[in-house]
Structure formats: C-alpha cells, structure tokens
Amino acid sequence: MKIVTYNVNGIKARLPRLLEYLAEAQPDVVCLQELKSSDDTFPEADIRAAGYGAIWHGQKGFNGVAVLARGVDPVERQRGLAGEVEDEHSRYLECEVFGLIVASIYLPNGNPVPGPKFDYKLRWITRLQERARALLAEEVPVILAGDYNVIPNDDDTFSVRAMASDALMQPESRHGYRALLAQGWTDALRTRHPKGNIWTFWDYQAGAWQRDAGFRIDHLLLSPAVADRLAEAGVDKEYRGREKASDHAPTWVRLR
C-alpha cells in the first residue's frame, strides 16, 4: 500500500500534473496540501474520473487540504484542530481509509521571524501535538502526512546558512517537531534515509531545481502500529521537473 503526501501548490493550476501522477504512480492514498480552492471549486469530478474518492477542506485562494483514496471514499473523522476557535485556516483533515487513520496536514510557514505569523506557527504545532497524543492513545494505525514547514535537521537542507533565518529552521520550530516525534511517532523518510540529503521541495526562485538546492519539509509520521509495517519510503522527485509542476514532489511510504 502506497501512501503519499503531496503539496500541489494550487490544485486547479496543477490538476494535469496531479491526474498524471495518479495514473502513473497509482498510489492508494494521497494527502494533498495547499489546494488554494474553495470547497465549491474542488475538482471532484476529475478526481472521481481518475478512479479516486475524496474528502477535502478548502479555502479560497489559500491553504486547503484533501485526502484521496483509490476506489473508495475516505470517511471523515475531523477537520481542523481544537484549541483556537478563531482559527479559520483550512490546514488539517483526518479520515479513516483502508483500515488506517490518515491526516493531511499543512502546517503554517511562519515567516517572517519574529512576528505574529511565527507565533501562530508555534501555537499550531502545540495544537497538533495535542491531537497526535490523543490519536496515539487510541492505539490504532495512524499516519500524519503533510507539509510540516519544518526542516528537522541540518542535513535536511542544501544550505544551513541560506535557511538559518527562516521560520522553517528556527530552534522553536525544530523543538516542536522533535517533541512530536518524542511522543512515539516514526519519521518514515528519515528512518529509510538516515544520512539525510533527500529533498521534497525546491523553490521556483534562483534556479533551485536546476541546482538541486532543496530541502525536506514534507513528512509522514507513523504511529507504532504502522511503523511495524513500513517497507519503503521515498520521494518521486522526477515529478518536480515536469512542466508547470508544483514546487514540492510527492513524498511517500509503502506499507506491508
């Protein structure tokens, strides 16, 4: 079973690339982020024609998350995180599918630092930790998949110096991510690629893709019941190089 997280950077603009990926890679579950689409304009018909059921939590022009499943409709469990009533960002969607609980996550970017956007990022991480702890307590197979906007380690970026002042690599961001792992989650990509130097994102600016100047911010965290089934984890890097591609590449785990 192949489970994918994929920040599409605008589902309407990238729909041909997404449908291409579904047809070629045939993943079982795909967690999408940064839809930049309202609920009403989500391309449900195109997704279903490709053989996938879907649930989504949209927001016009910004954010937005979805879960696609091959041949079935995921069953929604929760949208959004508790703890901040006034938060209207569409960044978390949790469902049941194929015997798993799967969440699609789009954690705030947090730039510039310091500032209210960074403060919001840190609060959001804390709220995610609380939800993750509750899910672990259920003792069921769970995957928290998404764009975390956190570079966990120095070898997860092409240049520590270039990213040193970015919200993605601040000590507070890293501490929040590591505190999440300390609950008992497994960072699947790190487990399979312990030496780092595997990227999931390449900026559109300054020829980053051509220079392979990327970093790792898309993560799949596995609960113990899923970690035992982990066979492989990787990045479908070639899709970043296609015409009008997202600046992220599909990142995945394969389960036994």
Side-chain angles (χ1 to χ4, degrees):
M1 184 183 298
K2 185 174 183 177
I3 315 295
V4 176
T5 181
Y6 191 7
N7 180 319
V8 291
N9 190 18
I11 193 167
K12 288 177 282 187
R14 316 293 170 204
L15 185 59
R17 296 288 78 81
L18 174 60
L19 297 177
E20 187 175 72
Y21 181 70
L22 296 178
E24 294 175 4
Q26 297 190 355
D28 297 285
V29 179
V30 184
C31 295
L32 301 177
Q33 301 87 38
E34 209 170 352
L35 302 178
K36 298 181 180 178
S37 166
S38 67
D39 283 339
D40 293 341
T41 58
F42 182 84
E44 179 182 10
D46 295 286
I47 299 296
R48 290 198 177 279
Y52 285 78
I55 59 171
W56 60 93
H57 182 23
Q59 184 175 347
K60 184 178 180 180
F62 302 95
N63 307 321
V65 285
V67 181
L68 317 184
R70 187 152 60 118
V72 301
D73 288 324
V75 178
E76 184 174 325
R77 292 180 105 239
Q78 178 173 316
R79 58 178 55 204
L81 292 173
E84 200 161 330
V85 176
E86 65 277 16
D87 183 8
E88 297 181 350
H89 287 198
S90 300
R91 295 183 176 274
Y92 183 89
L93 184 61
E94 181 185 303
C95 69
E96 295 182 16
V97 62
F98 298 134
L100 304 169
I101 295 174
V102 177
S104 183
I105 292 166
Y106 182 42
L107 205 142
N109 177 284
N111 283 302
V113 178
K117 290 185 177 180
F118 188 60
D119 295 340
Y120 171 62
K121 178 190 188 90
L122 299 183
R123 294 196 309 272
W124 207 94
I125 293 175
T126 298
R127 291 160 59 202
L128 178 60
Q129 290 168 357
E130 292 171 357
R131 181 59 189 158
R133 191 176 294 110
L135 287 169
L136 282 178
E138 294 187 37
E139 298 185 351
V140 293
V142 185
I143 300 179
L144 303 179
D147 176 359
Y148 281 70
N149 272 314
V150 176
I151 299 171
N153 310 286
D154 286 355
D155 57 9
D156 286 320
T157 176
F158 76 101
S159 171
V160 171
R161 178 180 295 180
M163 299 303 297
S165 62
D166 196 282
L168 278 62
M169 217 173 76
Q170 293 308 296
E172 298 92 335
S173 303
R174 287 181 161 184
H175 174 75
Y177 184 80
R178 289 169 181 166
L180 192 60
L181 294 182
Q183 294 178 355
W185 299 90
T186 294
D187 181 335
L189 207 60
R190 188 72 180 183
T191 298
R192 284 293 178 264
H193 304 273
K195 295 182 179 179
N197 295 298
I198 181 168
W199 320 140
T200 67
F201 171 91
W202 297 257
D203 204 306
Y204 292 129
Q205 306 299 319
W209 168 249
Q210 291 76 10
R211 296 184 295 116
D212 197 28
F215 40 85
R216 184 174 78 100
I217 54 176
D218 301 273
H219 311 306
L220 297 105
L221 304 191
L222 314 182
S223 72
V226 179
D228 289 344
R229 296 167 54 191
L230 177 61
E232 299 176 80
V235 180
D236 287 333
K237 181 178 177 179
E238 66 148 318
Y239 287 89
R240 172 60 180 85
R242 298 195 179 186
E243 184 179 1
K244 296 182 179 179
S246 170
D247 42 10
H248 296 249
T251 304
W252 53 268
V253 296
R254 196 178 299 279
L255 306 180
R256 298 184 186 91

